[in-house]
């Protein structure tokens, strides 16, 4: 099961309504994934030289301000923090490796769920509607957003096992399906120095993409390599800095639908998630072909 | 069979009953259509606000016309008997699956497994159909104005699949006695599916199907595919093909 949804606004005038337009899309997929939900939203790009980190902690009362102050004095760089639910967006001009290694040493219980210039990732167990409310996404402005509703079949129902999974700067992945070679692949990727927080199959796909991108592959090359190396059933939606990409396995039995108007492009596991968008009745609608990379945005 | 326009004209003369699916829900709409007596005078229905919901107008068994005023979700028109179902938009996976008789027409594209396991009747898709179109078809006729995806007519047993565009990989894999007509290119043929000679008999049948589907195309532009009949029973000499 699981539901995945993505919305990319071609018309910038709609950007103030991104969170509002996306809400019914995610909620409509509740029946496909009632146990957890998550979104990656692209908004408020950080200034040049700055990176936004999406951090999460299981304790809703965790002292994020204290963490930011300590990070500031440790790195001697600018650090600002905004708490949203049990997540926080930390913006800093410190080097990414310096931040992640400091967090690992001083706050091993804080999870880095994403990082980049524009991406913010929020994910949590619970009904999609509750998760959406918790992170105050209904009023969110932004350029594009992808989301996931999870019905766990393959690993535990935990916040860490929820999607999206970060795959690199401003990149993340949501997945509908299940991978069959993830255990072997995980061991291979561990040898390449990648670290894992869960036993989840999608985390392995995300780590695989992170590894490929680090080696210098383009997003398209990475997805093409993934079609060869990832075995199993999948429809992936990949959030990128300025859009999203959709790819399906060669058998393409996990549902997917794309719709496009002059104002937006949307993808979803089922069309009913898209039906709520303005102009959906007149949209061009089609099922994406297998092993074909569909990409919106400049990449 | 009266052509669609004539049917619509005939229907317009009668009172068309509109149902709002958003208000009545799929069960509400379907149960109204299921409880119609066979000799009903309420023969023309319009379902508004389908909103991609699943199983719209499934299991109908009356000679009525049902128009779906927008995009439908999964299994629209499934198990249809007798009814004419017109979908004015896209149809999700499994449109007209296991249809017994009647007509289902899709104005837009259709997702995967269109007409799956259909026993009879006619499914017309004006746009493209995705993968596995006509999978395990058992007597249904399917006419696609555009192209079909991979594994179409997989294990197709009876009936006709007409594709005015192209066909994806492994067309007609493990096919039995269904007949496939393709106008465009075929990416590849599945196991035991071969090209066959188009005779006058086949041309005439294809012309009738296109006519019934109201799709303009010259039957002579099509190629015919069917079963080599080598995989019907296990044969050790063909073990590699299974």
């Amino acid at each position: 099961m699981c539901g995945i949804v993505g919305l990319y606004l071609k018309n910038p005038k709609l950007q103030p309504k991104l969170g509002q337009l996306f809400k019914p899309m995610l909620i409509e997929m509740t029946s496909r994934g009632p146990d957890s939900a998550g979104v990656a939203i692209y908004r408020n790009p950080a200034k040049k030289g700055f990176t936004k980190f999406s951090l999460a902690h299981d304790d809703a009362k965790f002292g994020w301000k204290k963490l930011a102050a300590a990070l500031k004095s440790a790195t001697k760089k600018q650090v600002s923090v905004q708490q949203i639910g049990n997540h926080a967006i930390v913006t800093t001009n410190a080097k990414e490796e310096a931040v992640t290694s400091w967090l690992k040493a001083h706050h091993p219980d804080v999870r880095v769920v994403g990082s980049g210039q524009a991406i913010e990732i929020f994910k949590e167990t619970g009904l999609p509607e509750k998760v959406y409310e918790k992170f105050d996404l209904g009023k969110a402005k932004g350029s594009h957003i992808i989301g996931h509703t999870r019905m766990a079949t393959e690993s535990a129902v935990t916040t860490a096992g929820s999607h999206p999974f970060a795959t690199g700067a401003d990149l993340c992945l949501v997945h509908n399906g299940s991978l069959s070679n993830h255990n072997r692949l995980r061991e291979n990727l561990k040898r390449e120095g990648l670290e894992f927080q869960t036993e989840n199959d999608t985390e392995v796909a995300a780590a695989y993409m992170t590894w490929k991108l680090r080696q210098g592959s383009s997003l398209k090359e990475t997805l093409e390599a993934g079609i060869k190396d990832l075995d199993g059933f999948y429809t992936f939606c990949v959030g990128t800095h300025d859009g999203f990409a959709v790819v399906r396995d060669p058998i393409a039995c996990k549902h997917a639908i794309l719709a496009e108007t002059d104002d937006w492009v949307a993808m979803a596991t089922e069309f009913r998630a898209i039906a709520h968008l303005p102009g959906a009745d007149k949209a061009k609608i089609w099922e994406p072909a297998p092993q074909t990379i569909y990409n919106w945005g400049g990449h | 069979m009266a052509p669609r326009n004539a049917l619509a004209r005939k229907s317009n003369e009668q009172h068309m009953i509109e149902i709002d699916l958003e208000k009545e829900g799929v069960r509400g709409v379907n149960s109204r259509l299921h409880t119609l007596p066979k000799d009903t005078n309420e023969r023309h229905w319009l379902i508004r606000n389908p909103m991609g919901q699943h199983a719209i107008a499934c299991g109908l068994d009356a000679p009525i016309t049902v128009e779906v005023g927008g995009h439908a979700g999964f299994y629209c028109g499934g198990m249809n008997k007798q009814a004419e179902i017109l979908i004015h938009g896209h149809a999700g996976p499994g449109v007209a699956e296991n249809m017994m008789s009647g007509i289902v027409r899709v104005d837009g594209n259709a997702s995967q497994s269109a007409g799956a396991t259909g026993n009879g009747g006619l499914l017309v898709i004006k746009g493209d159909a995705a993968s596995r179109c006509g999978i395990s078809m058992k007597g249904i006729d399917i006419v696609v104005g555009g192209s079909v995806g991979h594994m179409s007519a997989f294990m197709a047993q009876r009936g006709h699949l007409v594709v005015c565009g192209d066909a994806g990989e492994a067309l007609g894999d493990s096919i039995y006695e269904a007949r496939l007509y393709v106008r465009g290119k075929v990416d590849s043929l599945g196991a035991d599916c071969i090209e066959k000679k188009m005779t006058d008999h086949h041309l005439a049948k294809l012309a009738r199907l296109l006519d019934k589907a109201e799709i303009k195309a010259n039957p002579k532009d099509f190629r015919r595919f069917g079963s080599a009949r080598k995989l019907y029973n296990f044969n050790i000499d063909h073990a590699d093909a299974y």
Side-chain angles (χ1 to χ4, degrees):
Chain A
M1 268 302 198
C2 297
I4 59 179
V5 273
L7 177 62
Y8 167 68
L9 299 176
K10 291 160 75 179
N11 181 353
K13 284 184 188 157
L14 288 173
Q15 289 190 4
K17 286 188 180 169
L18 182 69
Q20 186 191 328
L21 291 169
F22 191 67
K23 188 177 179 180
M25 292 184 72
L26 191 76
I27 291 172
E28 189 73 49
M29 289 295 95
T30 301
S31 55
R32 294 193 69 94
D35 64 45
S36 336
V39 302
I41 182 166
Y42 292 78
R43 62 178 173 184
N44 312 327
K47 279 189 290 183
K48 201 165 181 267
F50 283 74
T51 307
K52 293 201 295 187
F53 291 88
S54 303
L55 306 179
H57 195 282
D58 289 336
D59 182 2
K61 290 180 185 147
F62 180 74
W64 291 108
K65 282 187 180 159
K66 215 170 138 190
L67 177 143
L71 180 63
K72 192 174 177 179
S73 65
T75 58
K76 310 268 185 293
K77 296 281 185 184
Q78 296 178 49
V79 178
S80 62
V81 65
Q82 184 195 4
Q83 185 180 350
I84 304 169
N86 62 350
H87 285 41
I89 305 302
V90 169
T91 308
T92 175
N93 56 348
K95 282 208 169 129
E96 184 159 357
E97 301 76 42
V99 176
T100 49
S101 58
W102 182 85
L103 283 168
K104 209 193 281 175
H106 298 87
H107 292 283
D109 45 352
V110 168
R111 292 186 303 276
V112 180
V113 291
S115 64
Q117 280 239 295
I119 193 171
E120 295 180 18
I121 294 180
F122 304 99
K123 51 185 183 177
E124 184 59 286
T125 52
L127 282 173
E129 186 169 11
K130 298 282 175 213
V131 174
Y132 210 74
E133 276 167 17
K134 188 171 183 178
F135 297 112
D136 199 23
L137 290 160
K139 291 186 208 111
K141 301 168 185 176
S143 52
H144 54 295
I145 185 167
I146 66 173
H148 185 268
T149 62
R150 182 166 186 236
M151 186 182 286
T153 54
E154 189 278 335
S155 59
V157 178
T158 60
T159 304
S162 312
H163 306 213
F165 285 99
T167 59
D170 279 322
L171 287 167
C172 70
L173 176 71
V174 292
H175 171 205
N176 175 26
S178 58
L179 300 178
S180 46
N181 66 340
H182 63 102
N183 286 328
R184 169 75 55 84
L185 202 51
R186 188 186 292 108
E187 294 311 309
N188 293 345
L189 289 166
K190 276 181 184 169
R191 280 197 285 279
E192 298 286 338
L194 285 113
E195 291 175 15
F196 293 86
Q197 294 178 350
T198 69
E199 292 299 306
N200 185 284
D201 57 341
T202 310
E203 190 186 16
V204 176
Y208 173 84
M209 284 182 60
T210 306
W211 173 62
K212 277 279 170 195
L213 291 159
R214 265 190 210 162
Q215 288 183 324
S217 299
S218 68
L219 179 65
K220 191 166 176 280
E221 286 163 353
T222 300
L223 293 173
E224 281 167 354
I227 291 169
K228 265 191 272 164
D229 290 341
L230 299 171
D231 188 17
F233 296 118
Y234 55 83
T235 295
F236 289 135
C237 182
V238 179
T240 66
H241 177 66
D242 51 6
F244 66 70
V246 175
V247 64
R248 304 175 79 194
D249 69 74
I251 305 290
C253 68
K254 301 311 286 188
H255 305 298
I257 193 87
L258 287 167
E260 185 167 16
T261 69
D262 291 342
D263 289 334
W264 48 258
V265 177
M267 85 79 55
T269 306
E270 299 178 17
F271 175 76
R272 64 190 165 112
I274 296 171
H276 302 271
L277 290 171
D281 50 339
K282 300 271 188 291
K284 179 190 166 199
I285 297 167
W286 74 104
E287 182 173 322
Q291 303 184 83
T292 305
I293 296 159
Y294 296 82
N295 195 5
W296 281 272
H299 280 278
Chain B
M1 177 61 61
R4 183 186 173 194
N5 292 342
L7 259 177
R9 269 201 302 280
K10 192 175 148 199
S11 304
N12 283 338
E13 289 158 15
Q14 298 162 358
H15 176 56
M16 183 164 74
I17 304 149
E18 296 191 13
I19 338 179
D20 188 341
L21 189 137
E22 220 167 3
K23 277 194 199 135
E24 301 202 21
V26 174
R27 282 184 186 207
V29 168
N30 284 350
S31 65
R32 277 180 77 174
L33 299 173
H34 290 163
T35 47
L36 291 170
K38 290 249 166 20
D39 54 352
T40 179
N41 286 325
E42 298 177 329
R43 295 164 75 93
H44 194 177
W45 297 74
L46 172 63
I47 300 172
R48 289 208 184 275
N49 293 317
M51 298 293 282
Q53 293 298 307
H54 302 336
I56 297 171
C58 267
L60 304 189
D61 188 6
I64 57 173
T65 297
V66 177
E67 301 194 34
V68 179
H71 309 298
F74 294 23
Y75 318 127
C76 185
M79 301 176 282
N80 182 46
K81 264 187 184 173
Q82 303 190 66
E84 180 191 45
I85 299 169
L86 314 173
I87 302 166
H88 300 303
H90 180 91
V95 62
E97 54 98 32
N98 212 53
M99 176 152 65
M100 304 304 286
S101 64
I103 298 179
V104 174
R105 289 179 195 272
V106 183
D107 284 349
N109 299 325
S111 289
Q112 62 180 304
S113 310
T117 73
N119 277 265
L122 173 69
L123 168 63
V124 182
I125 297 158
K126 281 194 182 170
D128 297 327
S131 60
R132 293 173 275 273
C133 180
I135 182 170
S136 196
M137 54 195 276
K138 299 182 177 78
I140 190 175
D141 292 327
I142 304 174
V143 182
V144 181
S147 299
V148 296
H150 66 282
M151 297 296 280
S152 287
F154 176 55
M155 295 186 78
Q157 291 142 57
R158 213 159 55 84
H160 302 83
L161 172 64
V162 180
V163 182
C164 298
D166 304 330
E169 286 177 4
L171 176 72
D173 193 284
S174 307
I175 189 173
Y176 292 85
E177 291 305 302
R179 286 177 182 164
L180 317 179
Y181 299 100
V182 183
R183 184 164 65 171
K185 70 177 172 55
V186 175
D187 281 348
S188 66
L189 293 174
D192 212 32
C193 184
I194 53 168
E195 184 166 356
K196 293 186 163 185
K197 199 180 163 204
M198 186 81 101
T199 65
D200 288 345
H201 163 73
H202 298 111
L203 285 169
K205 176 68 190 174
L206 178 55
R208 281 199 298 278
L209 283 167
L210 288 164
D211 189 44
K212 217 163 130 184
E214 295 170 29
I215 286 181
K216 282 198 178 115
N218 184 351
K220 288 183 177 160
D221 296 339
F222 287 74
R223 290 187 293 157
R224 180 170 79 96
F225 302 90
S227 178
R229 302 187 178 106
K230 288 186 175 163
L231 295 181
Y232 273 33
N233 301 301
F234 182 73
N235 182 332
I236 193 68
D237 295 334
H238 301 140
D240 288 346
Y242 289 101

